[in-house]
Amino acid sequence: MFKKFWLRKNPKDSSTLQDKIEEIKKMPVPNHVAIIMDGNGRWAKKRALPRIAGHHEGMKVVRKTTMLANKLGIKTLTLYAFSTENWKRPKNEVEYIMRLPEEFLGTFLPELVENNVQVKMMGYKNQLPVHTMHAIEKAIEETKHNNGLVLNFALNYGSRSEILDAVKQVLNDCNNGILKETELDEKAFSSYMMTANFADPDLLIRTSGEIRLSNFMLWQLAYSELWFTDVLWPDFSEEHLLEAIETFQNRQRRFGGL
Ligand code: FPP
């Protein structure tokens, strides 16, 4: 009797990750979640480790986050892995980050294939090292027939350049009679962006306590719900993702209406 008493769990504490997932899935989950994965350097510094150790740990969190997003039925997960401004970082750090897609996909591509995940990438491909692009293109090719979660890496991505390039392409198409000025509305303009085939993010998450967008999806985030946390990206857990989604589910999106 006494033993039984001690074994009995408080129902409030007994909620496992699986229970929480089931609970979250009872309400609509965001279709597109975008994440600014920030704080790898600070995570490493706190442990007197080189910054690249933080990026390596961050890569493991990419895997966990992807698997949970897929399980939740999220359609697209866009991850800001490297911005057009990140080239200013020390050479060894840039080189290390550029090796991460190879390491990540070298290890986890079979798991992504098996779990019906489609790998995609947005960003300026031409400046990326050949080995980085090779790993990504292989993953895109091997997952192209999957129809589950789209795992979209934003790599060498910058939103202002993306918008400017779209404007130039629009002008070009207008000058060449491919597009009429009267046909140019928000939907048409969106089709000139790198996200042409994606819906806009419903939820943006940024880790590490920074409250800014850092040149990330400025056009696409116009009506997204924003969720910021002080947690550093390598410490971002499945529970944190569920917390962000739960907050999203409790918000009222009005898109400018009442
Ligand atoms: C920002 O943290 C993080 C980055 C610029 C790199 C993000 C990359 C990963 C999380 C790994 C990506 C994995 C794959 C598979 C591509 P920061 O370095 O700016 O951190 P800090 O603000 O604390 O210095």
Side-chain angles (χ1 to χ4, degrees):
M1 178 66 182
F2 181 71
K3 204 173 168 190
K4 239 183 173 174
F5 174 81
W6 281 106
L7 283 176
R8 204 182 296 144
K9 282 191 230 155
N10 176 347
K12 272 198 170 159
D13 300 336
S14 69
S15 152
T16 61
L17 189 69
Q18 195 52 41
D19 293 336
K20 285 186 195 159
I21 293 172
E22 295 311 322
E23 205 50 41
I24 294 275
K25 282 173 84 171
K26 286 183 189 157
M27 275 169 74
V29 296
N31 271 323
H32 186 170
V33 176
I35 309 185
I36 303 178
M37 310 179 289
D38 198 8
N40 294 348
R42 276 164 283 167
W43 182 92
K45 196 173 172 207
K46 267 168 70 179
R47 288 161 180 78
L49 293 169
R51 290 177 55 81
I52 57 171
H55 296 315
H56 195 261
E57 202 60 26
M59 181 189 72
K60 296 187 203 161
V61 179
V62 168
R63 178 192 171 219
K64 275 196 297 184
T65 306
T66 303
M67 287 307 150
L68 178 54
N70 195 28
K71 217 183 257 182
L72 287 167
I74 290 168
K75 301 271 186 301
T76 308
L77 177 67
T78 295
L79 301 177
Y80 205 7
F82 194 85
S83 75
T84 44
E85 289 74 36
N86 286 152
W87 296 104
K88 293 180 214 149
R89 295 185 174 214
K91 194 165 169 267
N92 77 313
E93 186 175 337
V94 170
E95 279 175 6
Y96 189 82
I97 296 175
M98 289 301 157
R99 288 276 170 201
L100 284 179
E102 272 165 288
E103 185 176 346
F104 177 80
L105 295 164
T107 315
F108 300 122
L109 184 55
E111 190 178 23
L112 297 177
V113 172
E114 199 179 307
N115 283 279
N116 199 22
V117 173
Q118 306 171 66
V119 176
K120 304 232 162 144
M121 186 214 132
M122 66 175 188
Y124 294 93
K125 297 180 180 165
N126 290 344
Q127 290 117 313
L128 290 172
V130 174
H131 60 84
T132 312
M133 271 322 295
H134 181 76
I136 290 173
E137 270 161 5
K138 179 172 180 280
I140 293 172
E141 180 60 29
E142 287 188 26
T143 60
K144 72 177 179 196
H145 297 302
N146 288 349
N147 59 11
L149 173 81
V150 172
L151 172 60
N152 180 33
F153 287 108
L155 204 57
N156 195 24
Y157 172 83
S159 184
R160 285 188 169 186
S161 305
E162 180 195 29
I163 294 170
L164 264 182
D165 287 344
V167 169
K168 287 179 192 167
Q169 194 54 50
V170 164
L171 287 173
N172 207 42
D173 282 359
C174 282
N175 289 338
N176 291 320
I178 297 167
L179 181 77
K180 291 196 198 91
E181 196 187 320
T182 49
E183 291 167 345
L184 185 64
D185 55 13
E186 290 183 9
K187 189 161 176 263
F189 189 73
S190 292
S191 74
Y192 284 83
M193 307 292 274
M194 290 175 184
T195 46
N197 299 316
F198 306 130
D200 289 341
D202 302 290
L203 172 65
L204 171 87
I205 297 173
R206 182 171 189 152
T207 58
S208 92
E210 310 292 355
I211 315 290
R212 55 176 171 263
L213 294 180
S214 302
N215 202 17
F216 187 54
M217 301 184 90
L218 302 177
W219 169 266
Q220 297 88 341
L221 291 172
Y223 282 105
S224 310
E225 294 296 323
L226 312 179
W227 190 81
F228 298 96
T229 174
D230 288 341
V231 173
L232 304 174
W233 178 250
D235 291 326
F236 188 82
S237 67
E238 280 127 328
E239 277 80 6
H240 293 122
L241 179 60
L242 294 176
E243 189 188 330
I245 294 173
E246 203 182 358
T247 308
F248 169 86
Q249 290 176 328
N250 288 317
R251 289 201 192 158
Q252 250 194 9
R253 302 182 80 194
R254 288 193 293 272
F255 300 96
L258 295 178

